């Protein structure tokens, strides 16, 4: 991102980060939490952590760093939710609803799976094992809901290449941590 | 690669997962048909879907 910051430039960085990441981060948290104020708090916490981190060291890949921080905060939130016993995560997406769900879920509760902190940690570890480009493309596609054509334009590569990176990440996650 | 599910079924499941997420067309019925084709297809889909849903 940039060399370590002095305090005077921290406010400017906050503004830059806010302009760039506030919307995507709010979308990311709102998709997974039912509470707008919680999503706003977590968004601000992500930005604060990124600013603090940038005061210590340069951040090579801000997009990846921001969303890795967001995923970690969401994981922490999941742990708090587990302790409080009041799940607030959104359930698995509609693709598994109805017939598919009854065929495939085999009695497992998606919410139970979703709230398994061990499984989430394993998935995050598997993400770390991917190459940087594959990981970043997957994060943009899965966590920021960017379309493949937009990711392709961002990186100057073809849409089919983006699709291959996404599939590679999906397959790696399934191989590493799809067993339940 | 997972030993109990044929690798090509996992690859197909990953392709389905990616296609569904891109959301250009509603292909959930086609996915259901693919799942019904072979018992391992359902297992492959579940293996792909579980970590996908975590993130």
């Amino acid at each position: 991102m940039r060399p370590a910051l002095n305090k005077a430039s921290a406010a400017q960085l906050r503004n830059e980060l806010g302009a760039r990441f506030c919307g995507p981060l709010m979308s990311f948290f709102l998709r997974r939490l039912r509470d707008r104020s919680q999503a706003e708090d977590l968004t601000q916490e992500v930005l604060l952590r990124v600013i603090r981190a940038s005061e210590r060291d340069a951040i090579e890949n801000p997009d990846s760093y921001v969303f890795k921080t967001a995923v970690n905060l969401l994981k922490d939130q999941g742990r708090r939710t587990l302790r409080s016993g009041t799940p607030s995560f959104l359930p698995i997406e509609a693709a598994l609803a109805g017939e598919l769900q009854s065929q495939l879920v085999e009695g497992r509760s998606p919410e139970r799976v979703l709230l398994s902190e061990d499984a989430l940690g394993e998935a995050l570890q598997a993400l770390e094992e991917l190459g940087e480009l594959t990981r970043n493309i997957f994060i943009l596609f899965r966590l920021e809901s960017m379309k493949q054509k937009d990711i392709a334009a961002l990186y100057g590569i073809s849409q089919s290449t983006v699709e291959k990176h996404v599939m590679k990440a999906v397959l790696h996650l399934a191989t590493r941590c799809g067993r339940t | 690669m997972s030993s109990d599910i044929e690798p090509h079924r996992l690859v197909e499941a990953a392709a389905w997962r990616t296609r569904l997420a891109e959301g250009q067309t509603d292909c959930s019925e086609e996915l259901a048909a693919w799942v019904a084709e072979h018992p391992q297809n359902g297992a492959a889909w579940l293996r792909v879907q579980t970590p996908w849903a975590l993130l």
Side-chain angles (χ1 to χ4, degrees):
Chain A
M1 181 178 286
R2 63 178 65 196
L5 295 170
N6 59 37
K7 287 184 179 177
S9 56
Q12 184 186 349
L13 177 60
R14 179 189 284 269
N15 289 337
E16 290 174 6
L17 285 172
R20 183 171 172 188
F21 291 111
C22 247
L25 283 170
M26 276 298 291
S27 298
F28 171 72
F29 287 123
L30 278 172
R31 279 198 305 274
R32 290 160 177 82
L33 302 165
R34 296 185 189 282
D35 189 317
R36 184 171 188 84
S37 69
Q38 262 189 346
E40 288 171 349
D41 289 347
L42 289 176
T43 296
Q44 291 307 314
E45 181 63 24
V46 170
L47 297 180
L48 194 58
R49 289 189 185 194
V50 174
I51 289 168
R52 284 177 184 155
S54 67
E55 287 170 353
R56 293 189 300 270
D57 301 297
I59 298 174
E60 295 297 329
N61 187 331
D63 289 32
S64 176
Y65 189 89
V66 164
F67 283 97
K68 191 155 68 174
T69 304
V71 168
N72 285 337
L73 275 174
L74 197 65
K75 185 171 69 171
D76 293 343
Q77 180 72 17
R79 289 183 178 133
R80 284 194 293 274
T81 299
L82 273 177
R83 282 198 292 272
S84 70
T86 52
S88 60
F89 284 100
L90 291 175
I92 200 167
E93 64 191 79
L96 265 186
E99 182 180 356
L100 273 179
Q101 182 168 349
S102 64
Q103 282 181 4
L104 305 177
V105 173
E106 299 174 340
R108 280 182 281 260
S109 154
E111 287 80 5
R112 265 182 58 200
V113 174
L114 188 63
L115 291 170
S116 163
E117 59 185 86
D118 287 344
L120 182 55
E122 198 176 9
L124 291 171
Q125 176 60 41
L127 269 185
E128 288 296 315
E129 294 163 0
L130 293 166
E132 185 178 358
L133 181 60
T134 301
R135 181 172 62 247
N136 288 344
I137 286 174
F138 180 79
I139 286 170
L140 291 172
F141 183 72
R142 175 63 182 127
L143 302 185
E144 210 173 340
S145 298
M146 278 181 72
K147 291 293 182 188
Q148 290 175 10
K149 66 177 173 59
D150 296 328
I151 299 171
L154 186 65
Y155 282 98
I157 57 180
S158 69
Q159 186 172 335
S160 67
T161 301
V162 171
E163 185 178 31
K164 284 173 188 166
H165 280 288
V166 173
M167 279 185 56
K168 182 178 178 182
V170 171
L171 194 57
H172 179 70
L173 285 165
T175 304
R176 280 278 283 105
C177 46
R179 293 168 188 273
T180 55
Chain B
M1 190 62 74
S2 306
S3 59
D4 55 339
I5 297 177
E6 293 170 288
H8 77 89
R9 297 189 193 282
L10 278 177
V11 172
E12 289 174 29
W16 276 110
R17 180 60 277 175
T18 304
R19 195 189 310 177
L20 269 181
E22 180 69 356
Q24 288 177 338
T25 55
D26 179 9
C27 50
S28 54
E29 286 187 13
E30 294 169 56
L31 171 60
W34 176 77
V35 165
E37 273 178 19
H38 193 282
Q40 282 202 353
N41 287 356
W45 172 256
L46 185 62
R47 192 159 295 177
V48 162
Q49 178 64 22
T50 299
W52 175 273
L54 283 165
L55 295 170

